């Protein structure tokens, strides 16, 4: 563990991955007007390039990249750290942000008659602020600084929900804010308890000091419970999910794509860090069973509710709840040093990646549908396949990954979960994966069937092929993830903490 505190030769890249979106955010806010969009669009390829270089460095080095900020080693200083999980999340974040930004250039362009408009300035500034917060979450090594990053995410994500300014979106944003702040309070209480027990908040040092019997005491268990409950509220895992459907369904499509693909993954990422990195001594027991049960409930309940929705975006939002449930099946399956643990770990991370790409593409496609025909009611989609074939193909390919059909990334994740369930003798999770796939097939059919049916759909507003291509590219990437070589699995396992 102590070797992880030495700065890696390429560790400065981690600082740049945070600074680039922060500088872009500040410049966009100061410059304002059309300059905000131009700055954001210019920053996006730079951030993507940095993320790719970091992933390549982690792969070549075969271990985590570490940077000690200001040369002050923890616990006095702050360490940034990128392992395989962090690297792939950084790349996914940069891809989705770039796609959402490209898709948002039309709806969030400053009108020619105005020097500056509220919604475009807010969108471009908040999008980069959200990106910076995600970068800190994926690279941060201090529990309090991660709390600050979570708050930065909250106060960037909540305004994105209500950019439209209607009563419906304001109500959804306020509900989101209440759940997010409740989660923050619980998380911070847990952090305070851990600091009182260990005297440090650095993740690596904390894991060292809580190793053995000191990491399984009642105070540590209470702290873990509080932090997990707070992060679950931010992740919207059933039954703490009430804020997510209205927030994601009513936000502008580019915002919905980022919220569903990335923001809820940030708190999930920290739950993984907490249980497998900081408190591995508590990870092999009842707590993992509880997380597995909550994940199973989310897959089944949210999948069933998605079947009953009348609106496309609301159906996709409930699908997000169901797909998040799969992420938590990895906890009871990956806990402990078992032959199947690595498969379960890889399954959870691949599920996070494939869901991010598929759901971002589906939300962008749903936004194009609503813009083109003036609504997103499933009953009114007859003939959509003829009017907007690329958009329907994006919805279909994204749904393919959600169902877990080959050769998609969703198939790889669910197949690995099935393997780990069978090998560990935890058959109930195998049943959940199979039932969830059937439910996903049902609600994807409710989208595709009317779209491919005959009908003369009236398109009120023309949608450029380039915007359709963005949604299609994301959905196709979720499918192509299933063809990823075994080297992806090797990258994901770099730096993984094994209880």
């Amino acid at each position: 563990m102590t070797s992880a505190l030495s700065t890696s030769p390429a560790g400065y890249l981690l600082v740049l991955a945070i600074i680039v979106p922060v500088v872009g955010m500040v410049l966009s806010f100061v410059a304002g007007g059309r300059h905000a969009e131009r700055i954001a669009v210019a920053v996006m390829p730079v951030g993507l390039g940095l993320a790719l270089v970091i992933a390549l460095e982690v792969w070549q080095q075969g271990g985590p990249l570490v940077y000690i900020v200001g040369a002050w080693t923890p616990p006095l200083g702050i360490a940034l750290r990128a392992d395989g999980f962090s690297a792939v999340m950084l790349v996914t974040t940069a891809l989705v942000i770039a796609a959402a930004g490209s898709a948002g250039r039309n709806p969030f362009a400053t009108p020619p008659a105005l020097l500056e408009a509220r919604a475009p300035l807010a969108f471009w500034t908040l999008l980069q602020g959200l990106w910076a917060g995600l970068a800190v979450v994926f690279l941060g090594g201090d529990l309090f600084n991660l709390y600050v990053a979570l708050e930065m995410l909250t106060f960037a994500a909540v305004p994105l929900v209500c950019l439209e300014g209607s009563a419906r979106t304001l109500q959804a944003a306020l509900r989101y804010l209440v759940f997010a702040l409740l989660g923050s309070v619980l998380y911070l209480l847990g952090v305070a308890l851990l600091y009182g027990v260990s005297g440090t908040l650095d993740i690596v040092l904390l894991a060292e000091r809580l190793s053995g019997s000191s990491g399984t005491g009642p105070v540590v268990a209470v702290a873990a419970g509080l932090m997990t409950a707070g992060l679950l509220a931010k992740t919207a895992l059933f039954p703490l999910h009430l804020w997510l459907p209205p927030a994601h369904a009513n936000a502008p499509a580019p915002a919905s794509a980022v919220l569903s693909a990335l923001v809820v993954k940030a708190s999930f990422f920290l739950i993984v860090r907490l249980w497998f990195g900081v408190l591995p001594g508590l990870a092999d027991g009842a707590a993992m069973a509880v997380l597995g049960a909550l994940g199973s409930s989310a897959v089944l309940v949210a999948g069933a509710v998605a079947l009953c929705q009348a609106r496309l975006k609301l159906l996709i939002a409930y699908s997000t709840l169901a797909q998040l449930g799969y992420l938590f099946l990895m906890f009871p399956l990956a806990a402990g040093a078992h032959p199947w643990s690595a498969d379960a770990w890889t399954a959870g991370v691949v599920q996070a990646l494939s869901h991010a790409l598929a759901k971002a593409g589906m939300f962008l496609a749903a936004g194009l549908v609503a813009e083109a025909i003036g609504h997103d009611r499933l009953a009114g989609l007859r003939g959509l396949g003829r009017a907007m074939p690329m958009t329907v193909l994006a919805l279909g390919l994204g749904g393919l990954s959600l169902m877990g059909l080959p050769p998609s990334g969703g198939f790889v994740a669910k197949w690995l979960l099935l393997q780990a369930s069978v090998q560990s003798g935890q058959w109930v999770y195998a049943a959940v994966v199979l039932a969830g796939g059937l439910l996903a097939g049902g609600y994807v059919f409710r989208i595709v069937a009317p779209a491919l049916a005959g009908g003369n759909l009236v398109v009120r507003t023309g949608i450029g092929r380039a915007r359709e291509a963005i949604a299609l590219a994301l959905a196709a990437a979720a499918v192509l993830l299933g063809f990823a070589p075994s080297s992806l699995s090797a990258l994901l396992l770099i730096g993984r903490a094994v209880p």
Side-chain angles (χ1 to χ4, degrees):
M1 283 287 189
T2 54
S3 62
L5 295 177
S6 58
T7 299
S8 305
Y12 66 91
L13 294 170
L14 308 185
V15 180
L16 290 177
I18 297 172
I19 289 178
V20 166
V22 169
V23 170
M25 174 186 66
V26 173
L27 290 178
S28 293
F29 180 76
V30 172
R34 292 175 180 79
H35 298 296
E37 177 186 344
R38 293 166 184 161
I39 292 169
V41 171
V43 163
M44 287 170 187
V46 178
L48 177 57
L50 275 171
L52 290 170
V53 171
I54 289 172
L56 181 61
E57 287 290 337
V58 171
W59 169 251
Q60 291 180 339
Q61 182 172 294
L65 293 182
V66 179
Y67 184 81
I68 308 300
V69 179
W72 288 84
T73 58
L76 295 178
I78 299 171
L80 301 177
R81 185 174 183 270
D83 56 13
F85 192 8
S86 302
V88 295
M89 291 307 297
L90 284 175
V91 173
T92 304
T93 297
L95 282 172
V96 173
I97 291 287
S102 299
R105 295 192 69 177
N106 186 283
F108 291 105
T110 303
L114 299 177
L115 293 176
E116 184 174 285
R118 175 191 60 82
L121 177 62
F123 174 78
W124 295 111
T125 304
L126 292 171
L127 186 65
Q128 294 173 91
L130 189 145
W131 186 6
L134 287 166
V136 177
V137 168
F138 298 141
L139 298 175
D142 180 274
L143 291 179
F144 182 76
N145 287 320
L146 290 173
Y147 161 77
V148 175
L150 286 173
E151 293 307 281
M152 185 176 180
L153 273 180
T154 297
F155 291 109
V158 170
L160 283 175
V161 172
C162 57
L163 281 178
E164 182 183 304
S166 65
R168 181 177 59 182
T169 59
L170 288 171
Q171 185 180 22
L174 286 174
R175 182 182 294 184
Y176 180 10
L177 181 62
V178 168
F179 273 84
L181 293 180
L182 174 62
S184 297
V185 170
L186 293 176
Y187 175 85
L188 193 57
L189 286 174
V191 168
L193 288 176
L194 286 184
Y195 183 77
V197 170
S198 65
T200 182
L201 293 177
D202 179 78
I203 289 177
V204 174
L205 295 181
L206 193 57
E208 289 181 347
R209 297 183 184 183
L210 295 180
S211 60
S213 59
S214 60
T216 58
V219 176
V220 175
V222 171
L226 289 170
M227 294 174 70
T228 303
L231 293 170
L232 290 180
K234 289 177 175 290
T235 308
L237 184 66
F238 178 87
L240 302 175
H241 66 286
L242 298 178
W243 65 267
L244 188 146
H248 289 197
N250 295 314
S256 297
V258 173
L259 294 172
S260 180
L262 302 175
V263 174
V264 292
K265 304 298 191 322
S267 44
F268 162 74
F269 180 90
L270 294 185
I271 297 172
V272 173
R273 282 281 187 259
L274 176 66
W275 284 103
F276 293 123
V278 178
L279 302 172
L282 292 175
D284 196 7
M288 299 296 94
V290 170
L291 290 176
L294 293 176
S296 300
S297 300
V299 171
L300 300 176
V301 174
V305 175
L307 280 170
C308 305
Q309 299 309 305
R311 286 182 53 205
L312 176 58
K313 284 192 71 177
L314 201 54
L315 184 153
I316 297 174
Y318 275 102
S319 168
T320 295
L321 296 177
Q323 295 296 315
L324 287 174
Y326 289 106
L327 299 178
F328 289 87
L329 299 185
M330 71 176 282
F331 287 89
L333 297 173
H338 304 294
W340 58 82
S341 297
D343 280 348
W345 173 275
T346 303
V349 180
V350 172
Q351 170 65 11
L353 301 181
S354 62
H355 174 261
L357 296 170
K359 198 52 63 74
M362 293 182 76
F363 265 120
L364 291 180
L368 294 178
V369 171
E371 182 179 343
I373 66 176
H375 67 84
D376 68 342
R377 296 186 302 275
L378 294 173
L381 298 185
R382 293 180 64 87
L384 183 66
R386 181 178 300 173
M388 304 176 68
M390 291 176 64
T391 299
V392 173
L393 181 58
L395 291 169
L397 289 178
L400 186 77
S401 187
L402 299 186
M403 288 186 285
L405 295 180
S408 64
F411 166 75
V412 172
K414 294 171 177 66
W415 177 251
L416 290 174
L417 284 175
L418 283 172
Q419 283 187 319
S421 302
V422 173
Q423 291 174 16
S424 64
Q426 302 180 72
W427 293 89
V428 64
Y429 298 124
V432 169
V433 172
L434 294 174
L438 292 175
L439 289 171
Y443 58 69
V444 170
F445 179 79
R446 291 200 61 218
I447 299 172
V448 176
L452 296 181
N456 296 317
L457 190 68
V458 177
V459 176
R460 301 180 181 179
T461 304
I463 300 295
R465 293 299 185 190
R467 296 173 66 191
E468 289 188 282
I470 294 169
L472 179 58
L474 286 170
V479 174
L480 293 175
L481 193 62
F483 293 98
S486 57
S487 56
L488 175 61
S489 297
L491 175 61
L492 296 177
L493 293 172
I494 291 177
R496 181 176 78 97
V498 181

